[in-house]
Amino acid sequence: MKETALLVIDVQNDFCPGGALAVEHGDQVVEPINTMIDRFENIVLTQDWHPSDHISFASNHNNAAPFEMITLEYGEQTLWPDHCVAADKGAEFHKDLNSHAAQMVVRKGFRSQIDSYSAFFENDQTTPTGLHGYLQERGIKALILCGLATDYCVAWSALDAAKLGYKAKVVLPACRAIDLAGSLAAQIENMTNAGIEIQDTIT
Ligand code: VGL
Ligand code: ZN
């Protein structure tokens, strides 16, 4: 277990029922994640953390609605309702998540002009967050991923983890999806093709 870390993605108020970008049953991940947190020694949390003028917010574009796709310099970007604004209540971890057990919190998406779904790279897929360096220094070789949302930040993080050479596993009962236009099935397939293990029980 010394070489394995639990990577808990974006278990924040805005992705839970009542939040600005609520994922259906998003709060149901808290209990299984807390159980896994008790079993792991290395724990990293991510926190979606946007300035209010963030490029991923539909409200910052003319004639744009949430969940539309636009093309930016770095590629396609889905527009979202304003969410996880730095230091607001919506950006806080769910109150029942055992966040105190984590040694490391990675904030992502904090630059106004670029989004970051993945815990490893911003959405240009080249700007690093620094997480890879941290994990390498700690000798971590395998990652167990869980959190919100399965088909966005969890999948992008898992795909980058696999690309970087980590053994990666996604624990589905500890994830919930947004599922826009078949995105969940598509990302499960992408992850499977990348050699990522998709597990139906908690670890
Ligand atoms: C996420 C959309 C926008 C996520 C974050 O955590 O999956 N999705 N920002
Ligand atoms: Zn976001």
Side-chain angles (χ1 to χ4, degrees), residues 3-20:
E3 296 189 343
T4 301
L6 182 68
L7 181 54
V8 180
I9 305 291
D10 299 357
V11 182
Q12 294 166 263
N13 291 330
D14 270 345
F15 297 122
C16 291

PDB file of all heavy atoms in Angstrom, residues 3-20:
ATOM      1  N   GLU A   3       2.997   2.130  -2.017  1.00  0.00           N
ATOM      2  CA  GLU A   3       3.174   2.663  -3.372  1.00  0.00           C
ATOM      3  C   GLU A   3       1.843   2.989  -4.038  1.00  0.00           C
ATOM      4  O   GLU A   3       1.787   3.267  -5.230  1.00  0.00           O
ATOM      5  CB  GLU A   3       3.962   1.654  -4.223  1.00  0.00           C
ATOM      6  CG  GLU A   3       5.364   1.442  -3.685  1.00  0.00           C
ATOM      7  CD  GLU A   3       6.232   0.620  -4.610  1.00  0.00           C
ATOM      8  OE1 GLU A   3       5.703  -0.058  -5.511  1.00  0.00           O
ATOM      9  OE2 GLU A   3       7.466   0.672  -4.425  1.00  0.00           O
ATOM     10  N   THR A   4       0.782   2.960  -3.264  1.00  0.00           N
ATOM     11  CA  THR A   4      -0.555   3.251  -3.799  1.00  0.00           C
ATOM     12  C   THR A   4      -1.131   4.480  -3.108  1.00  0.00           C
ATOM     13  O   THR A   4      -0.953   4.656  -1.902  1.00  0.00           O
ATOM     14  CB  THR A   4      -1.496   2.049  -3.541  1.00  0.00           C
ATOM     15  OG1 THR A   4      -0.939   0.889  -4.166  1.00  0.00           O
ATOM     16  CG2 THR A   4      -2.875   2.294  -4.099  1.00  0.00           C
ATOM     17  N   ALA A   5      -1.802   5.323  -3.878  1.00  0.00           N
ATOM     18  CA  ALA A   5      -2.493   6.470  -3.271  1.00  0.00           C
ATOM     19  C   ALA A   5      -3.962   6.471  -3.696  1.00  0.00           C
ATOM     20  O   ALA A   5      -4.305   6.069  -4.815  1.00  0.00           O
ATOM     21  CB  ALA A   5      -1.838   7.782  -3.680  1.00  0.00           C
ATOM     22  N   LEU A   6      -4.788   6.912  -2.781  1.00  0.00           N
ATOM     23  CA  LEU A   6      -6.204   7.129  -3.076  1.00  0.00           C
ATOM     24  C   LEU A   6      -6.337   8.568  -3.579  1.00  0.00           C
ATOM     25  O   LEU A   6      -5.929   9.508  -2.890  1.00  0.00           O
ATOM     26  CB  LEU A   6      -7.022   6.923  -1.804  1.00  0.00           C
ATOM     27  CG  LEU A   6      -8.540   7.057  -1.937  1.00  0.00           C
ATOM     28  CD1 LEU A   6      -9.114   5.914  -2.783  1.00  0.00           C
ATOM     29  CD2 LEU A   6      -9.205   7.045  -0.552  1.00  0.00           C
ATOM     30  N   LEU A   7      -6.876   8.729  -4.783  1.00  0.00           N
ATOM     31  CA  LEU A   7      -7.033  10.061  -5.378  1.00  0.00           C
ATOM     32  C   LEU A   7      -8.525  10.396  -5.432  1.00  0.00           C
ATOM     33  O   LEU A   7      -9.282   9.803  -6.212  1.00  0.00           O
ATOM     34  CB  LEU A   7      -6.391  10.072  -6.774  1.00  0.00           C
ATOM     35  CG  LEU A   7      -6.411  11.371  -7.585  1.00  0.00           C
ATOM     36  CD1 LEU A   7      -5.816  12.539  -6.800  1.00  0.00           C
ATOM     37  CD2 LEU A   7      -5.641  11.185  -8.899  1.00  0.00           C
ATOM     38  N   VAL A   8      -8.940  11.307  -4.583  1.00  0.00           N
ATOM     39  CA  VAL A   8     -10.365  11.638  -4.410  1.00  0.00           C
ATOM     40  C   VAL A   8     -10.647  12.939  -5.161  1.00  0.00           C
ATOM     41  O   VAL A   8     -10.141  14.004  -4.823  1.00  0.00           O
ATOM     42  CB  VAL A   8     -10.694  11.807  -2.913  1.00  0.00           C
ATOM     43  CG1 VAL A   8     -12.173  12.148  -2.729  1.00  0.00           C
ATOM     44  CG2 VAL A   8     -10.322  10.550  -2.122  1.00  0.00           C
ATOM     45  N   ILE A   9     -11.487  12.817  -6.188  1.00  0.00           N
ATOM     46  CA  ILE A   9     -11.705  13.937  -7.096  1.00  0.00           C
ATOM     47  C   ILE A   9     -12.949  14.762  -6.726  1.00  0.00           C
ATOM     48  O   ILE A   9     -14.081  14.243  -6.715  1.00  0.00           O
ATOM     49  CB  ILE A   9     -11.875  13.411  -8.559  1.00  0.00           C
ATOM     50  CG1 ILE A   9     -10.675  12.535  -8.991  1.00  0.00           C
ATOM     51  CG2 ILE A   9     -12.107  14.563  -9.536  1.00  0.00           C
ATOM     52  CD1 ILE A   9      -9.373  13.256  -9.174  1.00  0.00           C
ATOM     53  N   ASP A  10     -12.755  16.023  -6.429  1.00  0.00           N
ATOM     54  CA  ASP A  10     -13.804  17.056  -6.416  1.00  0.00           C
ATOM     55  C   ASP A  10     -15.092  16.717  -5.634  1.00  0.00           C
ATOM     56  O   ASP A  10     -16.205  16.947  -6.146  1.00  0.00           O
ATOM     57  CB  ASP A  10     -14.196  17.428  -7.856  1.00  0.00           C
ATOM     58  CG  ASP A  10     -13.029  18.007  -8.659  1.00  0.00           C
ATOM     59  OD1 ASP A  10     -11.936  18.167  -8.093  1.00  0.00           O
ATOM     60  OD2 ASP A  10     -13.225  18.309  -9.851  1.00  0.00           O
ATOM     61  N   VAL A  11     -14.957  16.214  -4.423  1.00  0.00           N
ATOM     62  CA  VAL A  11     -16.152  15.953  -3.614  1.00  0.00           C
ATOM     63  C   VAL A  11     -16.529  17.249  -2.887  1.00  0.00           C
ATOM     64  O   VAL A  11     -16.248  17.445  -1.709  1.00  0.00           O
ATOM     65  CB  VAL A  11     -15.948  14.760  -2.647  1.00  0.00           C
ATOM     66  CG1 VAL A  11     -17.225  14.496  -1.854  1.00  0.00           C
ATOM     67  CG2 VAL A  11     -15.556  13.512  -3.444  1.00  0.00           C
ATOM     68  N   GLN A  12     -17.115  18.160  -3.662  1.00  0.00           N
ATOM     69  CA  GLN A  12     -17.378  19.532  -3.232  1.00  0.00           C
ATOM     70  C   GLN A  12     -18.872  19.833  -3.281  1.00  0.00           C
ATOM     71  O   GLN A  12     -19.624  19.222  -4.052  1.00  0.00           O
ATOM     72  CB  GLN A  12     -16.622  20.496  -4.161  1.00  0.00           C
ATOM     73  CG  GLN A  12     -15.113  20.385  -4.031  1.00  0.00           C
ATOM     74  CD  GLN A  12     -14.397  21.074  -5.176  1.00  0.00           C
ATOM     75  OE1 GLN A  12     -14.003  20.425  -6.141  1.00  0.00           O
ATOM     76  NE2 GLN A  12     -14.239  22.401  -5.083  1.00  0.00           N
ATOM     77  N   ASN A  13     -19.278  20.808  -2.487  1.00  0.00           N
ATOM     78  CA  ASN A  13     -20.707  21.126  -2.376  1.00  0.00           C
ATOM     79  C   ASN A  13     -21.372  21.372  -3.724  1.00  0.00           C
ATOM     80  O   ASN A  13     -22.510  20.940  -3.950  1.00  0.00           O
ATOM     81  CB  ASN A  13     -20.900  22.365  -1.492  1.00  0.00           C
ATOM     82  CG  ASN A  13     -20.562  22.074  -0.050  1.00  0.00           C
ATOM     83  OD1 ASN A  13     -20.711  20.940   0.414  1.00  0.00           O
ATOM     84  ND2 ASN A  13     -20.096  23.087   0.675  1.00  0.00           N
ATOM     85  N   ASP A  14     -20.706  22.076  -4.631  1.00  0.00           N
ATOM     86  CA  ASP A  14     -21.365  22.409  -5.899  1.00  0.00           C
ATOM     87  C   ASP A  14     -21.655  21.192  -6.774  1.00  0.00           C
ATOM     88  O   ASP A  14     -22.478  21.278  -7.690  1.00  0.00           O
ATOM     89  CB  ASP A  14     -20.554  23.437  -6.690  1.00  0.00           C
ATOM     90  CG  ASP A  14     -20.976  24.860  -6.336  1.00  0.00           C
ATOM     91  OD1 ASP A  14     -22.055  25.040  -5.718  1.00  0.00           O
ATOM     92  OD2 ASP A  14     -20.226  25.807  -6.680  1.00  0.00           O
ATOM     93  N   PHE A  15     -20.989  20.058  -6.524  1.00  0.00           N
ATOM     94  CA  PHE A  15     -21.257  18.848  -7.301  1.00  0.00           C
ATOM     95  C   PHE A  15     -22.230  17.914  -6.570  1.00  0.00           C
ATOM     96  O   PHE A  15     -22.511  16.815  -7.048  1.00  0.00           O
ATOM     97  CB  PHE A  15     -19.947  18.109  -7.616  1.00  0.00           C
ATOM     98  CG  PHE A  15     -19.001  18.918  -8.467  1.00  0.00           C
ATOM     99  CD1 PHE A  15     -17.720  19.199  -8.021  1.00  0.00           C
ATOM    100  CD2 PHE A  15     -19.391  19.405  -9.700  1.00  0.00           C
ATOM    101  CE1 PHE A  15     -16.840  19.951  -8.794  1.00  0.00           C
ATOM    102  CE2 PHE A  15     -18.526  20.161 -10.485  1.00  0.00           C
ATOM    103  CZ  PHE A  15     -17.244  20.431 -10.032  1.00  0.00           C
ATOM    104  N   CYS A  16     -22.722  18.356  -5.432  1.00  0.00           N
ATOM    105  CA  CYS A  16     -23.662  17.549  -4.651  1.00  0.00           C
ATOM    106  C   CYS A  16     -25.066  18.147  -4.770  1.00  0.00           C
ATOM    107  O   CYS A  16     -25.214  19.300  -5.171  1.00  0.00           O
ATOM    108  CB  CYS A  16     -23.207  17.496  -3.195  1.00  0.00           C
ATOM    109  SG  CYS A  16     -21.681  16.540  -3.009  1.00  0.00           S
ATOM    110  N   PRO A  17     -26.107  17.371  -4.436  1.00  0.00           N
ATOM    111  CA  PRO A  17     -27.469  17.893  -4.548  1.00  0.00           C
ATOM    112  C   PRO A  17     -27.604  19.256  -3.872  1.00  0.00           C
ATOM    113  O   PRO A  17     -27.092  19.451  -2.768  1.00  0.00           O
ATOM    114  CB  PRO A  17     -28.301  16.822  -3.823  1.00  0.00           C
ATOM    115  CG  PRO A  17     -27.518  15.555  -4.051  1.00  0.00           C
ATOM    116  CD  PRO A  17     -26.065  15.975  -3.999  1.00  0.00           C
ATOM    117  N   GLY A  18     -28.243  20.203  -4.571  1.00  0.00           N
ATOM    118  CA  GLY A  18     -28.375  21.566  -4.064  1.00  0.00           C
ATOM    119  C   GLY A  18     -27.257  22.478  -4.536  1.00  0.00           C
ATOM    120  O   GLY A  18     -27.335  23.699  -4.393  1.00  0.00           O
ATOM    121  N   GLY A  19     -26.218  21.907  -5.124  1.00  0.00           N
ATOM    122  CA  GLY A  19     -25.075  22.704  -5.598  1.00  0.00           C
ATOM    123  C   GLY A  19     -25.298  23.241  -6.999  1.00  0.00           C
ATOM    124  O   GLY A  19     -26.250  22.872  -7.680  1.00  0.00           O
ATOM    125  N   ALA A  20     -24.399  24.117  -7.437  1.00  0.00           N
ATOM    126  CA  ALA A  20     -24.553  24.830  -8.711  1.00  0.00           C
ATOM    127  C   ALA A  20     -24.416  23.911  -9.922  1.00  0.00           C
ATOM    128  O   ALA A  20     -24.983  24.176 -10.980  1.00  0.00           O
ATOM    129  CB  ALA A  20     -23.504  25.937  -8.791  1.00  0.00           C
TER     130      ALA A  20
END
